[in-house]
Amino acid sequence: MTREEKSIAIEDLTAQLAGTNIIYVSDISGLNAETTSSLRRACFKAGIKLEVVKNTLLAKAMEASANDYGDLPSVLTGNSAIFISDVANAPGKIIKDFRKKSAKPVLKGAYINSEIYIGDDQLEALATIKSKEELLGELIGLLQSPAQRIISALQNKFAGSEEAEA
């Protein structure tokens, strides 16, 4: 790879990192072609971009990014692939699902909304993180619940007073 090609690759990676707040770094080395293809299909269906990257280029892109990746560049050893997603738990769920059949992918680390997660032991927590939509749904449900109880009570009282008049 020439110096110019490396520079372009770093710019591309920096742009990808700037466009998201959710990045998982994992090791997918050793997966056979069929399993890798299956992983790519699952990622595509879930709206996740999966890309094998060179560690040095990704480290330089992280350094050039406006985001603070903290200790995440320290996990960039061996083979690395990045999962870029709009949903915080989607890559974690896919990795966890694939781990039922094989030892890989191994989670090296993740950057989710300015939080850094290092190590494969974080996979369970990351797979169960609630998405923004799930949290908003729960919040709306909690806010609607008291109002619905008041409306129901008023309707019952109003219906009861109409029966008394009849």
Side-chain angles (χ1 to χ4, degrees):
M1 193 177 241
T2 67
R3 186 179 289 266
E4 186 177 319
E5 289 172 330
K6 287 179 183 178
S7 178
I8 291 169
I10 292 169
E11 287 176 23
D12 289 345
L13 279 171
T14 304
Q16 286 181 35
L17 296 178
T20 186
N21 283 322
I22 301 164
I23 299 155
Y24 284 60
V25 180
S26 71
D27 178 4
I28 64 170
S29 65
L31 294 179
N32 63 31
E34 182 182 334
T35 307
T36 302
S37 180
S38 179
L39 178 62
R40 287 186 184 278
R41 270 194 303 279
C43 287
F44 180 77
K45 286 179 186 175
I48 300 167
K49 182 175 183 184
L50 173 63
E51 187 175 339
V52 176
V53 294
K54 289 192 171 278
N55 292 326
T56 54
L57 300 180
L58 181 57
K60 288 180 180 181
M62 286 179 170
E63 189 178 301
S65 173
N67 295 333
D68 179 14
Y69 291 99
D71 290 338
L72 196 57
S74 70
V75 303
L76 298 177
T77 58
N79 293 318
S80 296
I82 56 172
F83 294 75
I84 298 175
S85 177
D86 292 330
V87 180
N89 63 1
K93 286 180 178 180
I94 286 180
I95 292 170
K96 188 176 172 186
D97 185 50
F98 269 81
R99 293 279 289 279
K100 292 175 185 173
K101 302 171 221 150
S102 132
K104 300 268 176 121
V106 174
L107 179 69
K108 293 180 174 187
Y111 173 85
I112 300 173
N113 300 322
S114 301
E115 295 291 325
I116 308 296
Y117 301 86
I118 304 288
D120 194 56
D121 60 329
Q122 300 292 317
L123 183 60
E124 185 65 37
L126 292 172
T128 57
I129 288 177
K130 293 194 178 191
S131 70
K132 182 178 178 180
E133 290 76 20
E134 290 170 328
L135 289 173
L136 286 173
E138 284 183 12
L139 180 61
I140 289 170
L142 289 171
L143 292 173
Q144 285 179 337
S145 181
Q148 288 173 336
R149 285 197 301 258
I150 292 170
I151 291 170
S152 178
L154 289 173
Q155 286 173 338
N156 288 340
K157 186 171 185 152
F158 184 71
S161 65
E162 285 180 349
E163 289 175 8
E165 289 177 10

